[in-house]
């Protein structure tokens, strides 16, 4: 199973949209895909019309039951979506208390990785949507993956947030003695504005080949798809945004092969 984490220490840059879009396209291509929501706001979970507060289990329970977790327990926590081949491990507001309640306990950094490893035969891909805060959840998501996607809105305030994220990856790679495969994904690009054009130039100048050579454009179809609780590639398969994520997926597949 390939595990990708979608992370940035700034909100509103397209993390959930990227997770949903890539997951939907992969599922439509016949891949078995698991989406994992680690954000206490549960935007990814609510995207599919799932009210995690009414569920018996969520990502939070992985941490509660971490010492005795088995495959069947994890499978029971999953929820199907409206798209075949696409399941979700939902988030809940209880995750907001995780750092305070258990952050100092031993063995907390690899809970998600161990849980995903139990499902290695069940899925081809796992995509992890992260909260915009460095804590136990983001550490788990980074430790569990083999590739990190960092969506960045093409405007200068978002570039400042990217600096924090890249610093985090540097510190994590040193502490874990591993190199992360990282791809920065420029999002919400509007070619009509100077701000987007200048921000993209700055991204390429600062981070070079780590930045994907294309962009995800501003596309209202993303918002419309979320209102219908459908992945964008089902709602508007010929839209500019879906075309961009198809191109991104092709690019990532080439990197991994």
């Amino acid at each position: 199973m390939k595990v990708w984490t979608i992370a940035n220490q700034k909100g509103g840059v397209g993390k959930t949209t990227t997770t949903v879009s890539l997951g939907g396209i992969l599922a439509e291509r016949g891949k078995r895909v698991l989406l994992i929501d680690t954000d206490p706001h549960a935007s990814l979970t609510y995207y599919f019309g799932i009210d995690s507060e009414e569920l018996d289990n969520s990502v939070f329970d992985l941490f509660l039951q971490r010492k005795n977790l088995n495959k069947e327990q994890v499978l029971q926590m999953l929820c199907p979506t409206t798209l075949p081949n696409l399941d979700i491990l939902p988030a809940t507001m209880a995750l907001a208390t995780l750092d305070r309640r258990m952050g100092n306990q031993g063995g907390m950094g690899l809970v998600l990785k161990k849980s995903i490893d139990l499902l290695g035969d069940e899925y081809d891909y796992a995509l992890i949507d992260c909260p915009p805060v460095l804590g136990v959840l983001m550490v788990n998501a980074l430790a569990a993956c083999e590739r990190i996607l960092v969506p960045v809105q093409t405007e200068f305030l978002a570039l400042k947030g990217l600096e924090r994220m890249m610093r985090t990856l540097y510190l994590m790679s040193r502490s874990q003695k591993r190199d992360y495969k990282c791809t920065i994904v420029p999002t919400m690009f509007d070619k009509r504005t100077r701000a987007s054009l200048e921000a993209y130039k700055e991204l390429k100048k600062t981070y070079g080949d780590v930045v994907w050579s294309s962009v995800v454009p501003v596309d209202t179809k993303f918002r419309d798809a979320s209102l219908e609780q459908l992945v964008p590639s089902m709602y508007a398969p010929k839209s500019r945004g879906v075309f961009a994520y198809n191109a991104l997926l092709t690019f990532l597949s080439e990197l991994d092969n």
Side-chain angles (χ1 to χ4, degrees), residues 20-30 83 231 233 242 245-246 249:
V20 168
S21 298
L22 292 178
I25 294 169
L26 283 166
E28 288 183 331
R29 292 183 181 182
L83 183 63
V231 297
S233 53
V242 171
Y245 278 115
N246 265 294
L249 191 53

Side-chain angles (χ1 to χ4, degrees), residues 115-178:
S115 302
I116 292 172
D117 286 346
L118 292 172
L119 305 179
D121 296 332
E122 302 292 329
Y123 295 95
D124 300 304
Y125 286 84
L127 276 60
I128 308 171
D129 190 16
C130 283
V133 179
L134 179 59
V136 170
L137 290 164
M138 184 178 286
V139 168
N140 265 267
L142 295 178
C145 75
E146 57 196 48
R147 178 170 297 283
I148 299 166
L149 304 180
V150 186
V152 182
Q153 184 179 359
T154 44
E155 58 97 18
F156 278 95
L157 287 179
L159 300 191
K160 298 301 292 184
L162 177 61
E163 291 178 10
R164 294 194 298 273
M165 187 67 222
M166 299 308 286
R167 176 65 178 170
T168 295
L169 293 182
Y170 172 73
L171 294 174
M172 288 277 294
S173 64
R174 288 190 61 185
S175 65
Q176 296 183 3
K177 294 181 174 59
R178 58 171 286 194

Side-chain angles (χ1 to χ4, degrees), residues 3-131:
V3 184
W4 296 346
T5 286
I6 296 86
N8 194 329
Q9 286 175 252
K10 185 182 186 305
V13 297
K15 293 188 297 295
T16 300
T17 297
T18 297
T19 305
V20 168
S21 298
L22 292 178
I25 294 169
L26 283 166
E28 288 183 331
R29 292 183 181 182
K31 303 298 184 181
R32 300 168 300 167
V33 183
L34 175 63
L35 306 181
I36 302 174
D37 192 352
T38 63
D39 190 339
H41 290 106
S43 296
L44 180 61
T45 301
Y46 287 120
Y47 187 103
F48 293 101
I50 300 169
D51 186 350
S52 59
E53 302 307 316
E54 296 182 357
L55 298 176
D56 293 329
N57 297 291
S58 72
V59 170
F60 186 69
D61 294 278
L62 297 179
F63 293 88
L64 288 179
Q65 304 174 32
R66 64 188 183 280
K67 294 182 180 178
N68 301 301
L69 209 59
N70 59 53
K71 180 178 180 179
E72 290 305 315
Q73 287 174 305
V74 179
L75 286 173
Q76 290 175 8
M77 297 178 188
L78 308 183
C79 296
T81 71
T82 54
L83 183 63
N85 296 325
L86 188 67
D87 296 331
I88 184 169
L89 180 54
T92 179
M93 283 297 294
L95 287 171
T97 69
L98 191 61
D99 282 88
R100 175 172 52 83
R101 292 176 59 179
M102 301 181 227
N104 294 324
Q105 296 181 19
M108 290 293 288
L110 295 175
V111 173
L112 195 55
K113 175 175 171 47
K114 292 176 180 177
S115 302
I116 292 172
D117 286 346
L118 292 172
L119 305 179
D121 296 332
E122 302 292 329
Y123 295 95
D124 300 304
Y125 286 84
L127 276 60
I128 308 171
D129 190 16
C130 283

